[in-house]
Structure formats: C-alpha cells, structure tokens
Amino acid sequence: MLGILFFQTIANAEVDFVVKIPSSKDSLRLSFASCHDFPGKYSIPTNDAGVGVPFNWDLIIDREPFAFIWGGDIIYGDFPKEMQYMPYPLTVFLPDMPIFTKPFVAASGEKLNHMYQSLKKDPGYAKLEQTLGGIGSQRVLGTWDDHDFGLNDADKTLSIRDESKEAFLNFFDAKSNDPRRFRDGVYSSTLFIDENGDESKSVLVIALDLRYNKDPYSVKNGDFLGEKQWKWLEETLSQSKARSHVFISSLQLLSQGKEAVTECWSDFPDKRERILKLIHDMKVKAPIIISGDVHYAEVMAANCGFSDNDDDDKDGIISNNLVGETSTIVELTTSGLTHSWANGMGSFSEEMKRISALALEIFQTIFIW
C-alpha cells in the first residue's frame, strides 16, 4: 500500500513528503525528464509543421517507473511566436537553423496556467499520472527552470514569479497545506522508503529551485538558491539517513569553463563550490545530480575534496590533487524530451560533438538500489 504524508518524520529525518515502497519491490526505478514542448497554440515553432511534436508518454509508462520527476522546462511559456529559417537549398546543409527570431517574451500567469492545464488534459500524460497513483500519490514531482518559470534565463526580478509559482503548484495538485505554498520557491524533499522502514531501501529526492531567488548575472558573487533555501537544504541533509540522495538541479552543476554551453552553476562559482562543499562535508550518501536545460544528454562525475596545491584553488573543491577523504558525485543530464541539438535545434558546436547523437533525445532511468 502506498502512503504519503506532509512533514513526515521517518528515521529522524524531517522531509516534506514520504512515499512508501512495497516491500515486495527489490529495486526502485525513477524516471527523469526535462525540456518538454507541448504542441498547441504556444508551442515552439519548427521549420516544417509549425507546431510542437507530441511526446509518446508510453515510452516512459512501458518502463514501469515507480515515480516520474521533472527537471525543469515542463512547458515553454516564453517562446517567441515567429522564426525565419534558411531558404532552400541552404537547408540541406543547415537544417532547422533559424536566421531570425523575435525576442523571448515574458509569460503571463494566465498563459502558464493554460499551458500546464493543457498538458494535464493530454491523454498520454494523464495516463502517466494515473499509472503512478493519480492525485496525491507524490509519484509525479519535480522543479522548474526558466521557460516554465516565465522567461528565458529569468531570475527573482521576474514580476510574475508568484503567479508562476501558483500555476506550477496547481499543475502538481498541491494541497492548501503543501509546504511549498509557504516557501519562497518550489523546492521540496521527498523520501521514498520501504513500507517497513528499511533504510537500506530509501532514497531522498531533493528538488532545488534555481529561479525564484536567483540573482541577476550582473550581481557579483550572486546566488541561485537564497539563504532560506540554503538553510533548508543544510537542515534536510543533516537529518537524512537515506541510502541515496538525488538532487534535482535544473542547471548543470559539474560542467564549468569552456565545457559549459549555457547557464550553469559555474555562473556563480562561489555558490557552486558551496553546494559541492556541503555535499562533501556532510558526507551525503550516494549523491546523484539530475540536471536538464541544455537539450542534450550527458553523464559526468567528479571527485570532491581539498587540494594540497595552491595552484588548484581556482578549481575550488574539485581537483586532481586531493588530500584526505574524498567523495564522488555523479551527474546525469537529461534533456530534451521533445527537442534537442540533434533534432530541430541547429547544428552542433564543438562542445556538442562530445555528446553522442544517440543520447540526445532520451530520458535517463536510474536504478537506485
């Protein structure tokens, strides 16, 4: 029997939600995805059809995940309505390469709500929700990124951020006493644990919010989370006894410097080091980062610790010359669900060539134990 409670305390760990796993299950499959363009009035224009391509949700349902987790960009509320493309025969060499686009336009709360509710009414997505227990099961969860927050690369100055938050929480059927309704953002923690309390079968999913309190990039030493979310994160991790910890970060954490092709934690390097140091210092068990945003898939890993070489300071907590205890962090980037750099997103850059085209339009499925 599945159960869910608010502010439940299990194994001395206060979390927002608890989902109990039947003891008969010897593995837990969590599916993740991001960057989803729902076809319709507001969809991303394409070179041929002019509307988005619907995603086949049976591809996820058939894998029988125990939960499905959004990594951001559930919808594209800010996308420009018009694009112009290369004329034929140049399209043979540069397919789907836009030569002109109108600027991104901030969404309204009404537009975001319309798009979210249209997605909920989609038969395929509705089937996924029902398969995972329906309203209140907490087996469909996640966070947002910029396009579903309301504007490309948006931050805390977005005027509709509270309207956007309301539309987001309504999409997830959040109740009136949902802890996220009383927070400065949509961050949350969900503990998946064996119904008999077996901690060897427990996973804590921490959905971070990198938009509601994000500083503009013009701010020196800016922040993604805000101090309230940092405090919440530290308290949540300090009390956790989960076997594995999954962090949902809409932006990539481990990529940096020339490797980064879009927004990432390295844009605020002090905060990137802060979260890596937090995970390392608190000895977080089996940390896995799930990111989205970039429209390609990638697997990264890093050893975290402290360097004995002053020249490595520029690399922060990640270094090739570590002393003392180290910890390994794995990051899986899963993007995009309906569009990617391999299909309708332009030609490859040099950085993109390191990614296999076969991995560009998939979602990752993780076996936690």
Side-chain angles (χ1 to χ4, degrees), residues 235-249:
E235 291 177 348
T236 300
L237 292 177
S238 68
Q239 299 176 55
S240 175
K241 293 185 179 180
R243 177 180 174 181
S244 180
H245 296 76
V246 176
F247 297 82
I248 311 301
S249 169

Side-chain angles (χ1 to χ4, degrees), residues 80 82-86 97-103:
E82 295 182 17
M83 282 186 172
Q84 292 181 4
Y85 293 86
M86 288 284 188
M97 173 64 78
I99 58 175
F100 171 78
T101 65
K102 284 189 174 182

